Amino acid sequence: MSKLILPDPTRRLILRGAAGGALAGLAAACRVPETSASNYQRFDTDPFTLGVASGEPTPEGMVLWTRLAPNPFEPDGGMGESTVDVRWEMAEDEAFTQIVRRGVGRAVPGQGHSVHAEIYGLPAGRTYFYRFHAGEATSPVGRTATAPAFLSGVDRMRVAWVSCAHYEQGFFHAYRNIVEENADLLVHTGDYIYESSWGPQVRRHAVPEPYTIADYRMQHALYRLDPDLQAAASHCPWLVTWDDHEVDNDYAGDVGEEAGVSIADFRKRRLAAYQAYWENMPLRRRSMLERARGEMRIWGESVFGNLAAIYMTDGRQFRTPMACPTESDRGGNMIARDCAERLDPARTYLGNDQEGWLRYNFARSGARWNLVVQPTLFSPFYGTDPETGAANAWSDGWDGYPAARQRMVDLFASRPESNPIVLGGDTHCYWVCDVKQDYEDPASATVASEFVTTAVTSHHTNHDAFAQTASNFGHIKHFDARERGYGLLDLSAERAEITLRTVGEVKRRDGYAPGDQARFVVEAGRPGPQAV
């Protein structure tokens, strides 16, 4: 058995084994695909300003991404209406002396001049390097890997997960530190970009709040220009889902936050945001926006040998609109726990199709650990109305969908041997929780473990009040909203080790100071986090 995916740089070539020579011979027999003379373009400035990325690893491949943008703050990235052939190549070594795959992708204006090269037929569990060429220009080099063979033995796996990276509110120290941690995989739980400008600002968005495809492309370009984000994107494969700020704060399905905006107008904005998201993330063609239906599939399962299955879920596109909205605000609000609409058993957070997919795949998983990635806090956290003393719930989170949450809990309880772990983000806080069979009964069985990471940069102002309330809930084992950072998950057959990593003062470029806030362990066969 071997450690998953990306080895220490000094040990990269050990994984080649006997297959290395055969692959090198195959590469030598391959010729670089020819590009069309009409699709060749010479660039006066670097077209690869936004860097490179990879994602969705499988045992035989992954998707490689880049986007041509010589002038990234122009609506078309400076590319105009041109169509450009972009060559890509993969190698076993950083010097590209042992090339194993070559190909050509076509960067077209209707897809933001992005390239999504889907790779197949590679050996499982191997590290590779890749780059792109357009005209005479060459991109930075990225590092990626195939997943281990399905249900094959895997000793260890290191997963970093992040959330809520508001560009204006700080520098992306978390992305920088994930590279130094040498994570095998980066999981993004959402709010990868922000559409709105608010809170303490140390740098500024380049465009006003986005509404059109051109707006969202430029917003994505600004984030992709960040050197720390580029480093993390090129370091290892990513798995991604979105929350709300990739489109608009607190939206639900076709319903936006502002009551004065029609569903038809909001839908146009949502479709523009989804298109730009696909163009700027390492996603396969299966996730392309289906304009006829107005939908984009972001959810899916990735399996890493016999060690882990990771379920990326979409908690925005198919959810039932918020319960008990106000006349002026259809987004998240504090609502009464006895609100009849909130308690409706037909309400769904994931949508019926996605719930069915998760039930089916979770039930048949043979992985030691099963990680359910969703955007926010899963476990209950109810507040108290300061005027009436009545218990209330936040309508935008799972507290607004208690029946849907219970269906998830029942799924976890039905397969105790699956060692379920729920990962989340969104709240700009660290949370560590027992997932209870019945949250109303503190003595009920713990059926899963939950870990929520704080924000990469987005700030939180109510630590003291939240901490005092959190102490009233026995299932909440840890809470802290004072620090920014990310989560680090080290998996082995017998245990999951979770570190809540902090990164120092994000409001200063030189404030980088990594450290640990807390550490927990979950033992296989024993659900529930234990402090270390």
Side-chain angles (χ1 to χ4, degrees):
M1 294 192 295
S2 63
K3 182 182 180 296
L4 176 71
I5 308 186
L6 301 178
D8 184 274
T10 62
R11 299 172 54 246
R12 286 175 187 146
L13 302 184
I14 294 177
L15 292 184
R16 289 211 313 268
L23 286 171
L26 175 63
C30 296
R31 298 181 60 188
V32 178
E34 295 181 358
T35 60
S36 168
S38 62
N39 294 327
Y40 179 91
Q41 182 168 331
R42 187 180 297 276
F43 294 92
D44 295 327
T45 58
D46 180 15
F48 296 108
T49 57
L50 306 184
V52 300
S54 70
E56 300 191 6
T58 69
E60 64 170 356
M62 71 292 292
V63 58
L64 308 180
W65 172 92
T66 193
R67 179 182 159 213
L68 303 183
N71 297 300
F73 294 133
E74 293 183 8
D76 58 7
M79 292 296 296
E81 292 301 310
S82 60
T83 293
V84 178
D85 284 343
V86 179
R87 293 163 290 150
W88 56 264
E89 54 187 352
M90 296 187 68
E92 291 188 309
D93 63 312
E94 234 171 329
F96 287 83
T97 63
Q98 300 182 63
I99 294 176
V100 297
R101 288 287 188 279
R102 288 187 171 105
V104 175
R106 184 153 292 178
V108 300
Q111 296 175 5
H113 292 95
S114 61
V115 177
H116 302 248
E118 297 187 31
I119 313 301
Y120 299 96
L122 295 172
R126 299 278 292 277
T127 302
Y128 296 97
F129 300 87
Y130 63 94
R131 63 187 177 187
F132 297 87
H133 307 277
E136 302 301 315
T138 298
S139 75
V141 173
R143 189 169 73 126
T144 189
T146 51
F150 184 65
L151 296 184
S152 63
V154 178
D155 288 338
R156 296 191 64 83
M157 177 179 183
R158 170 167 284 188
V159 179
W161 86 98
V162 298
S163 176
C164 302
H166 199 302
Y167 182 89
E168 293 187 325
Q169 294 185 11
F171 297 99
F172 293 159
H173 299 330
Y175 290 135
R176 172 181 171 183
N177 203 45
I178 287 169
V179 175
E180 296 178 3
E181 297 276 15
N182 199 29
D184 297 320
L185 184 74
L186 189 150
V187 170
H188 210 298
T189 71
D191 292 344
Y192 164 80
I193 67 165
Y194 274 72
E195 88 296 2
S196 52
S197 179
W198 57 275
Q201 298 177 356
V202 299
R203 48 186 184 172
R204 297 300 301 273
H205 282 155
V207 297
E209 185 162 341
Y211 290 90
T212 67
I213 181 65
D215 295 341
Y216 282 104
R217 283 172 177 167
M218 288 187 286
Q219 195 79 327
H220 274 278
L222 174 67
Y223 280 66
R224 280 282 176 193
L225 286 168
D226 183 272
D228 294 325
L229 191 156
Q230 284 200 16
S234 65
H235 173 72
C236 64
W238 285 34
L239 294 176
V240 301
T241 190
W242 50 38
D243 193 22
D244 53 342
H245 289 291
E246 289 86 356
V247 181
D248 183 37
N249 181 58
D250 285 2
Y251 82 95
D254 285 334
V255 179
E257 178 183 31
E258 298 178 15
V261 178
S262 70
I263 289 178
D265 285 344
F266 178 74
R267 187 176 178 82
K268 292 178 182 177
R269 181 182 186 184
R270 193 189 80 167
L271 294 182
Y274 282 6
Q275 175 67 25
Y277 186 84
W278 181 83
E279 292 174 355
N280 285 277
M281 301 300 282
L283 293 168
R284 297 178 184 271
R285 296 186 67 83
R286 69 183 179 197
S287 291
M288 289 180 66
L289 178 66
E290 296 182 17
R291 291 194 172 275
R293 299 173 59 186
E295 296 179 358
M296 178 175 153
R297 176 164 175 166
I298 193 74
W299 44 276
E301 177 189 15
S302 295
V303 180
F304 299 86
N306 66 348
L307 189 61
I310 302 179
Y311 309 90
M312 303 296 295
T313 66
D314 175 358
R316 285 291 164 186
Q317 188 173 187
F318 307 107
R319 66 157 69 184
T320 308
M322 311 294 179
C324 308
T326 68
E327 292 184 2
S328 60
D329 189 351
R330 298 180 301 199
N333 286 284
M334 298 305 295
I335 61 175
R337 286 186 61 186
D338 59 1
C339 159
E341 187 178 3
R342 184 185 86 93
L343 301 175
D344 184 347
R347 289 176 57 76
T348 177
Y349 190 85
L350 300 176
N352 293 329
D353 288 347
Q354 192 179 181
E355 281 194 28
W357 159 81
L358 186 59
R359 282 195 302 271
Y360 176 79
N361 285 275
F362 195 90
R364 62 195 287 267
S365 172
R368 183 67 159 174
W369 300 93
N370 288 266
L371 314 181
V372 177
V373 179
Q374 49 80 51
T376 188
L377 173 68
F378 180 78
S379 297
F381 179 70
Y382 300 119
T384 302
D385 188 307
E387 296 182 1
T388 66
N392 52 32
W394 179 242
S395 64
D396 184 55
W398 284 94
D399 283 346
Y401 302 80
R405 175 169 56 203
Q406 190 60 50
R407 291 193 292 271
M408 290 276 283
V409 169
D410 293 343
L411 175 63
F412 300 150
S414 70
R415 291 211 60 211
E417 74 280 5
S418 64
N419 295 305
I421 294 178
V422 181
L423 299 180
D426 175 60
T427 63
H428 314 170
C429 317
Y430 291 113
W431 304 83
V432 178
C433 303
D434 288 335
V435 176
K436 290 292 198 177
Q437 175 73 72
D438 179 2
Y439 282 108
E440 300 300 320
D441 177 9
S444 80
T446 297
V447 299
S449 308
E450 178 181 17
F451 300 91
V452 176
T453 182
T454 188
V456 171
T457 59
S458 305
H459 83 301
H460 189 287
T461 59
N462 298 314
H463 169 81
D464 291 344
F466 272 50
Q468 182 176 1
T469 304
S471 64
N472 298 326
F473 295 88
H475 61 268
I476 297 176
K477 303 302 182 184
H478 179 84
F479 166 82
D480 198 289
R482 293 170 294 187
E483 298 186 275
R484 309 281 70 81
Y486 62 97
L488 193 66
L489 175 65
D490 285 293
L491 292 175
S492 65
E494 299 306 319
R495 54 197 278 142
E497 300 173 7
I498 298 88
T499 306
L500 307 181
R501 292 288 280 158
T502 60
V503 293
E505 179 50 73
V506 298
K507 294 183 179 63
R508 300 199 323 268
R509 171 66 77 182
D510 63 353
Y512 177 63
D516 293 350
Q517 181 182 103
R519 297 180 63 206
F520 290 84
V521 64
V522 179
E523 298 176 358
R526 184 188 176 193
Q530 308 297 321
V532 176

